[in-house]
Amino acid sequence: MSILQFPPGFRWGTATSSFQIEGAAELRADSIWDEFCRVPGAIADGSDGRVAVDHYHRYAEDVALMASLGMDTYRFSVSWPRVLRPDGSADPAGMGFYDALVDALCAAGIRPWLTLYHWDLPAWLPGGWTNRATAEAFADYALRLHGVLGDRVRVWTTLNEPWCASFLSYAGGHHAPGHTDPAEAYAAAHHLLLGHGLAIRALRAADPDATLGLTLNFTPAYPADPDDAADADVVRRIDGTAHRIFTDPVFRGEYPADVVADAGAAWPSELVREGDLALIAAPIDVLGVNYYTSQLIRAGEPSAQPTPHPAAPDAVTVDRDWLGRTDIGWEVTPDAFRELLIGLHRDYTGPAGIPLAITENGAAIDDPDPASGPIEDRERIDYLHRHLTAVHEAIEVGARVDTYLLWSLIDNFEWAFGYTKRFGVVAVDEALNRVPKASARWYSELIRTSTLCLPEQA
Ligand code: FCB
């Protein structure tokens, strides 16, 4: 048995998001996800977030559960339409909910890590993220929430996965609002980044000591044949709209020229105004990384179907049959995680002098029903084990990573998959009781020791 020790001060926790767990939808206005759930066929099991796992009413129990598992940090998101009303006034009950949640976390010794935007955009904002005014509204929301929670919440993430909130939502049609227009996706991406920049400026002015950042999702793409120019080029284009369109403005103050060129006529004229990039590039204190899988890509015939990769309609995913897959179909590729962290540190966060935090990583596993007895989710533990080994390897060779937040604390509403995919280390039974899985006990022990035990290689 060999042992991997994480550095002193390394922080551990779990992550969730408002729409996926809270429920109590009748106590707030609609978000675009409420509307999307009403579209026939949009959600695999026809479900919605009206009750979810009822965290709104059971938050105290959930905080106690986290405390019993020894969690250090809890990353949650705030539902914008719960705390602000369509007329712009604050909703006292909504604000009060997060006030109480944060109080409970602090009382339990758990550090609150707040994400301002995890996709549940108020439905009343005209045009959603295609409208520049939404970026301004976002900064206003950020500041008002900070006024209530800023004394206790010291880590603020502006956006969760702007790629999903733009390309997957406005070009691919898979997420709310379910549109399939590449020009809308480029506009949404820019306005999300602008909202990030405006919120950073507002929060920094209000609270210079706060830790501020954003979370991006990375799905590294590799060419099926690295010596094939067409494969290499389609991978470059996917990497452009999935990753570099976000990292480069934030860390370098510019959109990559190839990304803008590839967008062609789909890049809206006059989208980027003077001063926008300077705002977007304002220094941040941490980059959140969400990682689940990677993909092998080859160039094929251009498809006419809507795609979340509008610059790469010719991309074809090549199945790697030799790799395991989680229940959501994602290949298990921990080596790509290690390489990603090393690359991000080298190219972006290292030069910026800031750390990386893993803000999501986890596995969907087809767990048995909690009614049938204890859930021994060995596959999830194996996934986590392998990915944490990758994080440790990246740290060993110099990548600065200081936090790991597992997705997710609890089984929840997995967006277009509804409740069919389970990512939690805690299950939820029919009566919405919380039932920790074997992975919860495993993770708790890992947190206690900050040590990963590796079986001896045969
Ligand atoms: C990420 C989302 C998160 C969850 C996981 C599985 O893209 O941020 O809400 O759905 O995937």
Side-chain angles (χ1 to χ4, degrees), residues 159-171:
L159 307 174
N160 177 70
E161 302 191 354
W163 179 79
C164 292
S166 54
F167 289 96
L168 195 61
S169 303
Y170 288 92

Side-chain angles (χ1 to χ4, degrees), residues 17 20 118-119 160-161 164 290 292 330 360 407 414-415 423:
S17 89
Q20 294 178 275
H118 200 127
W119 309 347
N160 177 70
E161 302 191 354
C164 292
N290 290 358
Y292 293 92
W330 298 344
E360 287 182 27
W407 186 272
E414 180 47 38
W415 307 113
F423 278 90

Side-chain angles (χ1 to χ4, degrees), residues 90-103:
D91 183 320
M95 287 286 188
F97 166 68
Y98 295 106
D99 203 36
L101 170 64
V102 167
D103 271 350

Side-chain angles (χ1 to χ4, degrees), residues 53-293:
V53 295
D54 198 29
H55 172 75
Y56 183 90
H57 296 111
R58 297 170 197 244
Y59 76 89
E61 185 189 337
D62 291 341
V63 171
L65 183 58
M66 282 187 259
S68 75
L69 294 169
M71 302 294 167
D72 164 81
T73 297
Y74 176 50
R75 173 177 180 250
F76 64 100
S77 78
V78 169
S79 163
W80 181 350
R82 194 183 288 291
V83 295
L84 294 185
R85 297 187 179 119
D87 68 4
S89 63
D91 183 320
M95 287 286 188
F97 166 68
Y98 295 106
D99 203 36
L101 170 64
V102 167
D103 271 350
L105 290 166
C106 293
I110 299 169
R111 172 175 69 146
W113 179 310
L114 188 151
T115 300
L116 283 158
Y117 185 71
H118 200 127
W119 309 347
D120 41 359
L121 188 71
W124 71 75
L125 292 170
W129 287 108
T130 65
N131 186 346
R132 189 176 170 99
T134 296
E136 308 270 352
F138 177 67
D140 174 61
Y141 151 62
L143 202 54
R144 292 171 68 184
L145 193 64
H146 180 273
V148 177
L149 304 177
D151 56 337
R152 289 151 291 155
V153 176
R154 307 306 301 137
V155 190
W156 294 71
T157 291
T158 53
L159 307 174
N160 177 70
E161 302 191 354
W163 179 79
C164 292
S166 54
F167 289 96
L168 195 61
S169 303
Y170 288 92
H174 301 289
H175 278 189
H179 296 184
T180 53
D181 179 345
E184 287 192 10
Y186 287 107
H190 180 64
H191 295 144
L192 280 152
L193 285 170
L194 182 62
H196 158 78
L198 290 165
I200 292 287
R201 181 174 71 180
L203 294 174
R204 190 73 81 195
D207 187 355
D209 298 330
T211 297
L212 309 177
L214 90 166
T215 277
L216 302 177
N217 58 305
F218 294 90
T219 306
Y222 294 93
D225 178 357
D227 296 325
D228 183 298
D231 286 4
D233 193 63
V234 73
V235 163
R236 175 189 64 74
R237 283 177 276 127
I238 287 198
D239 184 49
T241 52
H243 308 133
R244 290 183 290 116
I245 198 173
F246 301 106
T247 49
D248 286 32
V250 168
F251 288 98
R252 298 177 180 163
E254 60 188 19
Y255 282 111
D258 65 314
V259 171
V260 179
D262 290 337
W267 187 278
S269 57
E270 295 172 37
L271 176 63
V272 183
R273 298 195 190 159
E274 199 176 338
D276 286 3
L277 284 161
L279 271 170
I280 293 167
I284 54 174
D285 307 307
V286 59
L287 175 67
V289 174
N290 290 358
Y291 178 85
Y292 293 92
T293 189

